[in-house]
Amino acid sequence: MSTPNGAAVAPPPAPAAPVLMGAARYVAFFEALTPEAVERLSDVTTPDIHFVDPFNDVVGLAALQRVFRGMYKDMDGPRFRVTHRAFDGDVCFLRWEFTGRVRRLRADWRIIGMTELRFAEDGRVRQHVDHWDAGRQFHERLPVIGALVRWVRRKAGHG
């Protein structure tokens, strides 16, 4: 590989077997996630898991379980589907689609995002950081607030 100016760039390091196996287990777990499975998150995460998304920044298994219990309380049929995976050493990047129905809004929801996973030596996930556009994929769809967010985006020139 090389950069646009012709300089050589080393390829990223290959993922270790625990990372490959851990990523496969984690993806399978989340694609089959149920309210009951939330209690088994310790099968695929470390006790000190650090989880970040646009609405949460929590540390620890109990805190992560609360996040997912809240999701099931607020939504009908939430589902994750991983569409792509990429690795760079002990890091796995996932591209995913999340769908479900928000009960209070009586609205179907679809969010596309990316996750950055970091692993412990045993292949369990120790850090899960979600990246997705909460403004465009969430806030703009809310009644009242959505109109304000769209107006601000237009005024800022990002329409």
Side-chain angles (χ1 to χ4, degrees):
M1 281 199 299
S2 63
T3 64
N5 67 2
V9 175
V19 171
L20 290 170
M21 290 185 298
R25 275 195 320 269
Y26 200 70
V27 167
F29 184 86
F30 271 92
E31 289 188 329
L33 190 63
T34 63
E36 298 76 28
V38 170
E39 303 311 312
R40 295 190 312 275
L41 272 166
S42 62
D43 293 349
V44 293
T45 68
T46 59
D48 62 344
I49 177 78
H50 183 200
F51 175 85
V52 180
D53 71 8
F55 303 111
N56 301 282
D57 187 342
V58 299
V59 175
L61 181 59
L64 181 58
Q65 288 171 322
R66 279 192 298 277
V67 168
F68 285 103
R69 284 187 203 113
M71 176 188 72
Y72 280 105
K73 181 179 159 220
D74 296 338
M75 298 191 77
D76 290 320
R79 183 161 176 82
F80 296 94
R81 185 174 66 88
V82 173
T83 59
H84 298 86
R85 300 175 207 192
F87 295 90
D88 185 358
D90 73 337
V91 181
C92 175
F93 300 96
L94 305 174
R95 181 162 170 84
W96 47 262
E97 176 183 66
F98 172 77
T99 56
R101 183 165 185 82
V102 179
R103 289 187 180 128
R104 288 186 180 164
L105 299 176
R106 296 185 191 129
D108 292 330
W109 225 265
R110 179 175 176 253
I111 295 172
I112 304 295
M114 301 279 297
T115 297
E116 175 185 343
L117 300 175
R118 296 189 183 267
F119 297 85
E121 288 183 14
D122 66 1
R124 290 185 298 164
V125 173
R126 65 179 172 81
Q127 185 178 46
H128 173 143
V129 180
D130 282 343
H131 305 278
W132 56 276
D133 186 349
R136 199 168 283 224
Q137 295 187 86
F138 183 77
H139 295 110
E140 284 188 8
R141 295 198 55 208
L142 296 174
V144 182
I145 292 172
L148 177 62
V149 172
R150 287 187 301 275
W151 178 82
V152 168
R153 186 183 301 272
R154 281 191 307 273
K155 290 297 181 188
H158 302 288

